[in-house]
PDB file of all heavy atoms in Angstrom:
ATOM      1  N   ARG D 986      -0.397  -0.946 -14.094  1.00  0.00           N
ATOM      2  CA  ARG D 986      -1.851  -1.092 -14.097  1.00  0.00           C
ATOM      3  C   ARG D 986      -2.436  -0.784 -12.713  1.00  0.00           C
ATOM      4  O   ARG D 986      -2.027  -1.384 -11.708  1.00  0.00           O
ATOM      5  CB  ARG D 986      -2.242  -2.514 -14.491  1.00  0.00           C
ATOM      6  CG  ARG D 986      -1.805  -2.928 -15.893  1.00  0.00           C
ATOM      7  CD  ARG D 986      -2.670  -2.289 -16.944  1.00  0.00           C
ATOM      8  NE  ARG D 986      -2.335  -2.755 -18.292  1.00  0.00           N
ATOM      9  CZ  ARG D 986      -2.814  -2.193 -19.395  1.00  0.00           C
ATOM     10  NH1 ARG D 986      -3.642  -1.158 -19.301  1.00  0.00           N
ATOM     11  NH2 ARG D 986      -2.471  -2.657 -20.576  1.00  0.00           N
ATOM     12  N   TRP D 987      -3.392   0.134 -12.678  1.00  0.00           N
ATOM     13  CA  TRP D 987      -4.031   0.491 -11.411  1.00  0.00           C
ATOM     14  C   TRP D 987      -4.726  -0.717 -10.785  1.00  0.00           C
ATOM     15  O   TRP D 987      -4.703  -0.886  -9.562  1.00  0.00           O
ATOM     16  CB  TRP D 987      -5.040   1.614 -11.650  1.00  0.00           C
ATOM     17  CG  TRP D 987      -5.662   2.167 -10.410  1.00  0.00           C
ATOM     18  CD1 TRP D 987      -6.953   2.003  -9.985  1.00  0.00           C
ATOM     19  CD2 TRP D 987      -5.045   2.993  -9.415  1.00  0.00           C
ATOM     20  NE1 TRP D 987      -7.172   2.677  -8.801  1.00  0.00           N
ATOM     21  CE2 TRP D 987      -6.019   3.301  -8.429  1.00  0.00           C
ATOM     22  CE3 TRP D 987      -3.757   3.519  -9.267  1.00  0.00           C
ATOM     23  CZ2 TRP D 987      -5.737   4.099  -7.323  1.00  0.00           C
ATOM     24  CZ3 TRP D 987      -3.481   4.323  -8.161  1.00  0.00           C
ATOM     25  CH2 TRP D 987      -4.465   4.591  -7.200  1.00  0.00           C
ATOM     26  N   ASN D 988      -5.316  -1.575 -11.623  1.00  0.00           N
ATOM     27  CA  ASN D 988      -6.027  -2.735 -11.059  1.00  0.00           C
ATOM     28  C   ASN D 988      -5.087  -3.782 -10.476  1.00  0.00           C
ATOM     29  O   ASN D 988      -5.532  -4.751  -9.868  1.00  0.00           O
ATOM     30  CB  ASN D 988      -6.977  -3.358 -12.093  1.00  0.00           C
ATOM     31  CG  ASN D 988      -6.281  -3.883 -13.330  1.00  0.00           C
ATOM     32  OD1 ASN D 988      -5.055  -4.037 -13.356  1.00  0.00           O
ATOM     33  ND2 ASN D 988      -7.052  -4.176 -14.371  1.00  0.00           N
ATOM     34  N   ARG D 989      -3.786  -3.599 -10.676  1.00  0.00           N
ATOM     35  CA  ARG D 989      -2.797  -4.445  -9.994  1.00  0.00           C
ATOM     36  C   ARG D 989      -2.184  -3.714  -8.794  1.00  0.00           C
ATOM     37  O   ARG D 989      -1.850  -4.337  -7.782  1.00  0.00           O
ATOM     38  CB  ARG D 989      -1.699  -4.869 -10.961  1.00  0.00           C
ATOM     39  CG  ARG D 989      -2.195  -5.733 -12.116  1.00  0.00           C
ATOM     40  CD  ARG D 989      -1.081  -6.089 -13.081  1.00  0.00           C
ATOM     41  NE  ARG D 989      -1.581  -6.742 -14.283  1.00  0.00           N
ATOM     42  CZ  ARG D 989      -0.868  -6.998 -15.351  1.00  0.00           C
ATOM     43  NH1 ARG D 989       0.424  -6.645 -15.380  1.00  0.00           N
ATOM     44  NH2 ARG D 989      -1.397  -7.588 -16.403  1.00  0.00           N
ATOM     45  N   LEU D 990      -2.008  -2.406  -8.937  1.00  0.00           N
ATOM     46  CA  LEU D 990      -1.422  -1.625  -7.845  1.00  0.00           C
ATOM     47  C   LEU D 990      -2.338  -1.588  -6.623  1.00  0.00           C
ATOM     48  O   LEU D 990      -1.888  -1.767  -5.486  1.00  0.00           O
ATOM     49  CB  LEU D 990      -1.148  -0.194  -8.305  1.00  0.00           C
ATOM     50  CG  LEU D 990      -0.090   0.044  -9.367  1.00  0.00           C
ATOM     51  CD1 LEU D 990      -0.009   1.527  -9.711  1.00  0.00           C
ATOM     52  CD2 LEU D 990       1.268  -0.452  -8.891  1.00  0.00           C
ATOM     53  N   LEU D 991      -3.636  -1.328  -6.862  1.00  0.00           N
ATOM     54  CA  LEU D 991      -4.549  -1.114  -5.745  1.00  0.00           C
ATOM     55  C   LEU D 991      -4.693  -2.338  -4.848  1.00  0.00           C
ATOM     56  O   LEU D 991      -4.647  -2.217  -3.614  1.00  0.00           O
ATOM     57  CB  LEU D 991      -5.906  -0.638  -6.267  1.00  0.00           C
ATOM     58  CG  LEU D 991      -6.898  -0.150  -5.218  1.00  0.00           C
ATOM     59  CD1 LEU D 991      -6.290   0.979  -4.377  1.00  0.00           C
ATOM     60  CD2 LEU D 991      -8.194   0.316  -5.881  1.00  0.00           C
ATOM     61  N   PRO D 992      -4.839  -3.561  -5.390  1.00  0.00           N
ATOM     62  CA  PRO D 992      -4.916  -4.723  -4.492  1.00  0.00           C
ATOM     63  C   PRO D 992      -3.644  -4.916  -3.659  1.00  0.00           C
ATOM     64  O   PRO D 992      -3.718  -5.323  -2.485  1.00  0.00           O
ATOM     65  CB  PRO D 992      -5.124  -5.898  -5.460  1.00  0.00           C
ATOM     66  CG  PRO D 992      -5.757  -5.301  -6.659  1.00  0.00           C
ATOM     67  CD  PRO D 992      -5.133  -3.953  -6.797  1.00  0.00           C
ATOM     68  N   MET D 993      -2.483  -4.626  -4.237  1.00  0.00           N
ATOM     69  CA  MET D 993      -1.249  -4.760  -3.455  1.00  0.00           C
ATOM     70  C   MET D 993      -1.165  -3.687  -2.372  1.00  0.00           C
ATOM     71  O   MET D 993      -0.691  -3.954  -1.255  1.00  0.00           O
ATOM     72  CB  MET D 993      -0.036  -4.702  -4.382  1.00  0.00           C
ATOM     73  CG  MET D 993       0.132  -5.944  -5.231  1.00  0.00           C
ATOM     74  SD  MET D 993       1.657  -5.962  -6.203  1.00  0.00           S
ATOM     75  CE  MET D 993       1.254  -4.775  -7.483  1.00  0.00           C
ATOM     76  N   ALA D 994      -1.634  -2.467  -2.685  1.00  0.00           N
ATOM     77  CA  ALA D 994      -1.669  -1.423  -1.665  1.00  0.00           C
ATOM     78  C   ALA D 994      -2.624  -1.813  -0.533  1.00  0.00           C
ATOM     79  O   ALA D 994      -2.357  -1.544   0.645  1.00  0.00           O
ATOM     80  CB  ALA D 994      -2.087  -0.093  -2.286  1.00  0.00           C
ATOM     81  N   THR D 995      -3.743  -2.467  -0.891  1.00  0.00           N
ATOM     82  CA  THR D 995      -4.696  -2.928   0.119  1.00  0.00           C
ATOM     83  C   THR D 995      -4.053  -3.968   1.041  1.00  0.00           C
ATOM     84  O   THR D 995      -4.223  -3.936   2.264  1.00  0.00           O
ATOM     85  CB  THR D 995      -5.945  -3.506  -0.566  1.00  0.00           C
ATOM     86  OG1 THR D 995      -6.525  -2.512  -1.412  1.00  0.00           O
ATOM     87  CG2 THR D 995      -6.968  -3.961   0.461  1.00  0.00           C
ATOM     88  N   LYS D 996      -3.288  -4.891   0.462  1.00  0.00           N
ATOM     89  CA  LYS D 996      -2.574  -5.881   1.277  1.00  0.00           C
ATOM     90  C   LYS D 996      -1.563  -5.190   2.187  1.00  0.00           C
ATOM     91  O   LYS D 996      -1.412  -5.559   3.367  1.00  0.00           O
ATOM     92  CB  LYS D 996      -1.864  -6.889   0.378  1.00  0.00           C
ATOM     93  CG  LYS D 996      -2.792  -7.832  -0.361  1.00  0.00           C
ATOM     94  CD  LYS D 996      -2.001  -8.790  -1.245  1.00  0.00           C
ATOM     95  CE  LYS D 996      -2.925  -9.698  -2.040  1.00  0.00           C
ATOM     96  NZ  LYS D 996      -2.174 -10.601  -2.945  1.00  0.00           N
ATOM     97  N   ALA D 997      -0.864  -4.184   1.652  1.00  0.00           N
ATOM     98  CA  ALA D 997       0.091  -3.444   2.480  1.00  0.00           C
ATOM     99  C   ALA D 997      -0.624  -2.759   3.633  1.00  0.00           C
ATOM    100  O   ALA D 997      -0.080  -2.652   4.743  1.00  0.00           O
ATOM    101  CB  ALA D 997       0.837  -2.421   1.635  1.00  0.00           C
ATOM    102  N   GLY D 998      -1.872  -2.300   3.396  1.00  0.00           N
ATOM    103  CA  GLY D 998      -2.645  -1.675   4.467  1.00  0.00           C
ATOM    104  C   GLY D 998      -2.900  -2.608   5.626  1.00  0.00           C
ATOM    105  O   GLY D 998      -2.987  -2.179   6.781  1.00  0.00           O
ATOM    106  N   ALA D 999      -3.018  -3.914   5.333  1.00  0.00           N
ATOM    107  CA  ALA D 999      -3.248  -4.901   6.390  1.00  0.00           C
ATOM    108  C   ALA D 999      -1.955  -5.347   7.063  1.00  0.00           C
ATOM    109  O   ALA D 999      -1.968  -5.767   8.226  1.00  0.00           O
ATOM    110  CB  ALA D 999      -3.968  -6.117   5.806  1.00  0.00           C
ATOM    111  N   LEU D1000      -0.824  -5.236   6.346  1.00  0.00           N
ATOM    112  CA  LEU D1000       0.423  -5.801   6.847  1.00  0.00           C
ATOM    113  C   LEU D1000       1.423  -4.777   7.354  1.00  0.00           C
ATOM    114  O   LEU D1000       2.270  -5.099   8.196  1.00  0.00           O
ATOM    115  CB  LEU D1000       1.100  -6.615   5.720  1.00  0.00           C
ATOM    116  CG  LEU D1000       0.326  -7.815   5.194  1.00  0.00           C
ATOM    117  CD1 LEU D1000       1.027  -8.374   3.966  1.00  0.00           C
ATOM    118  CD2 LEU D1000       0.189  -8.867   6.279  1.00  0.00           C
ATOM    119  N   VAL D1001       1.352  -3.547   6.842  1.00  0.00           N
ATOM    120  CA  VAL D1001       2.395  -2.561   7.104  1.00  0.00           C
ATOM    121  C   VAL D1001       1.814  -1.389   7.895  1.00  0.00           C
ATOM    122  O   VAL D1001       0.911  -0.697   7.410  1.00  0.00           O
ATOM    123  CB  VAL D1001       3.003  -2.040   5.784  1.00  0.00           C
ATOM    124  CG1 VAL D1001       4.093  -1.019   6.058  1.00  0.00           C
ATOM    125  CG2 VAL D1001       3.529  -3.200   4.951  1.00  0.00           C
ATOM    126  N   PRO D1002       2.291  -1.153   9.116  1.00  0.00           N
ATOM    127  CA  PRO D1002       1.772  -0.031   9.894  1.00  0.00           C
ATOM    128  C   PRO D1002       2.276   1.307   9.356  1.00  0.00           C
ATOM    129  O   PRO D1002       3.314   1.386   8.705  1.00  0.00           O
ATOM    130  CB  PRO D1002       2.308  -0.294  11.304  1.00  0.00           C
ATOM    131  CG  PRO D1002       3.553  -1.085  11.069  1.00  0.00           C
ATOM    132  CD  PRO D1002       3.300  -1.927   9.856  1.00  0.00           C
ATOM    133  N   VAL D1003       1.505   2.348   9.610  1.00  0.00           N
ATOM    134  CA  VAL D1003       1.946   3.710   9.316  1.00  0.00           C
ATOM    135  C   VAL D1003       2.475   4.291  10.615  1.00  0.00           C
ATOM    136  O   VAL D1003       1.796   4.278  11.631  1.00  0.00           O
ATOM    137  CB  VAL D1003       0.786   4.572   8.778  1.00  0.00           C
ATOM    138  CG1 VAL D1003       1.180   6.038   8.742  1.00  0.00           C
ATOM    139  CG2 VAL D1003       0.414   4.125   7.377  1.00  0.00           C
ATOM    140  N   GLY D1004       3.687   4.795  10.594  1.00  0.00           N
ATOM    141  CA  GLY D1004       4.276   5.363  11.795  1.00  0.00           C
ATOM    142  C   GLY D1004       5.725   5.667  11.552  1.00  0.00           C
ATOM    143  O   GLY D1004       6.220   5.592  10.433  1.00  0.00           O
ATOM    144  N   ARG D1005       6.411   6.045  12.611  1.00  0.00           N
ATOM    145  CA  ARG D1005       7.815   6.390  12.479  1.00  0.00           C
ATOM    146  C   ARG D1005       8.624   5.198  11.971  1.00  0.00           C
ATOM    147  O   ARG D1005       8.399   4.058  12.363  1.00  0.00           O
ATOM    148  CB  ARG D1005       8.374   6.850  13.837  1.00  0.00           C
ATOM    149  CG  ARG D1005       7.764   8.142  14.319  1.00  0.00           C
ATOM    150  CD  ARG D1005       7.876   9.229  13.255  1.00  0.00           C
ATOM    151  NE  ARG D1005       7.353  10.494  13.717  1.00  0.00           N
ATOM    152  CZ  ARG D1005       6.952  11.474  12.931  1.00  0.00           C
ATOM    153  NH1 ARG D1005       6.987  11.329  11.614  1.00  0.00           N
ATOM    154  NH2 ARG D1005       6.512  12.599  13.417  1.00  0.00           N
ATOM    155  N   GLY D1006       9.530   5.497  11.081  1.00  0.00           N
ATOM    156  CA  GLY D1006      10.305   4.462  10.416  1.00  0.00           C
ATOM    157  C   GLY D1006       9.963   4.500   8.941  1.00  0.00           C
ATOM    158  O   GLY D1006      10.685   5.063   8.137  1.00  0.00           O
ATOM    159  N   GLY D1007       8.803   3.925   8.596  1.00  0.00           N
ATOM    160  CA  GLY D1007       8.356   3.991   7.210  1.00  0.00           C
ATOM    161  C   GLY D1007       7.722   5.322   6.867  1.00  0.00           C
ATOM    162  O   GLY D1007       7.715   5.734   5.720  1.00  0.00           O
ATOM    163  N   GLU D1008       7.140   5.987   7.873  1.00  0.00           N
ATOM    164  CA  GLU D1008       6.519   7.302   7.719  1.00  0.00           C
ATOM    165  C   GLU D1008       5.246   7.262   6.893  1.00  0.00           C
ATOM    166  O   GLU D1008       4.224   7.787   7.291  1.00  0.00           O
ATOM    167  CB  GLU D1008       7.494   8.314   7.088  1.00  0.00           C
ATOM    168  CG  GLU D1008       8.533   8.850   8.020  1.00  0.00           C
ATOM    169  CD  GLU D1008       7.925   9.672   9.150  1.00  0.00           C
ATOM    170  OE1 GLU D1008       7.448  10.788   8.902  1.00  0.00           O
ATOM    171  OE2 GLU D1008       7.946   9.188  10.294  1.00  0.00           O
ATOM    172  N   ARG D1009       5.291   6.678   5.719  1.00  0.00           N
ATOM    173  CA  ARG D1009       4.151   6.653   4.816  1.00  0.00           C
ATOM    174  C   ARG D1009       4.016   5.242   4.241  1.00  0.00           C
ATOM    175  O   ARG D1009       4.999   4.553   3.997  1.00  0.00           O
ATOM    176  CB  ARG D1009       4.346   7.628   3.644  1.00  0.00           C
ATOM    177  CG  ARG D1009       4.469   9.091   4.052  1.00  0.00           C
ATOM    178  CD  ARG D1009       3.119   9.653   4.472  1.00  0.00           C
ATOM    179  NE  ARG D1009       3.180  11.100   4.687  1.00  0.00           N
ATOM    180  CZ  ARG D1009       3.375  11.680   5.871  1.00  0.00           C
ATOM    181  NH1 ARG D1009       3.575  10.921   6.940  1.00  0.00           N
ATOM    182  NH2 ARG D1009       3.364  12.993   5.985  1.00  0.00           N
ATOM    183  N   ARG D1010       2.787   4.833   4.001  1.00  0.00           N
ATOM    184  CA  ARG D1010       2.559   3.568   3.302  1.00  0.00           C
ATOM    185  C   ARG D1010       2.503   3.901   1.808  1.00  0.00           C
ATOM    186  O   ARG D1010       1.455   3.874   1.169  1.00  0.00           O
ATOM    187  CB  ARG D1010       1.270   2.919   3.787  1.00  0.00           C
ATOM    188  CG  ARG D1010       1.130   1.458   3.371  1.00  0.00           C
ATOM    189  CD  ARG D1010      -0.184   0.864   3.813  1.00  0.00           C
ATOM    190  NE  ARG D1010      -0.271   0.699   5.262  1.00  0.00           N
ATOM    191  CZ  ARG D1010      -1.047   1.414   6.052  1.00  0.00           C
ATOM    192  NH1 ARG D1010      -1.807   2.387   5.560  1.00  0.00           N
ATOM    193  NH2 ARG D1010      -1.066   1.194   7.359  1.00  0.00           N
TER     194      ARG D1010
END
């Protein structure tokens, strides 16, 4: 469900940096 995926992606945006290592969120 998109309405479940998007809020979790938003939380990841606050907690998980984009950069070397993970490369992509």
Side-chain angles (χ1 to χ4, degrees):
R986 298 285 184 191
W987 186 251
N988 61 14
R989 297 178 188 171
L990 293 178
L991 190 56
M993 288 186 286
T995 302
K996 290 179 183 178
L1000 298 172
V1001 180
V1003 169
R1005 294 307 183 201
E1008 283 295 288
R1009 298 286 188 265
R1010 194 183 291 110

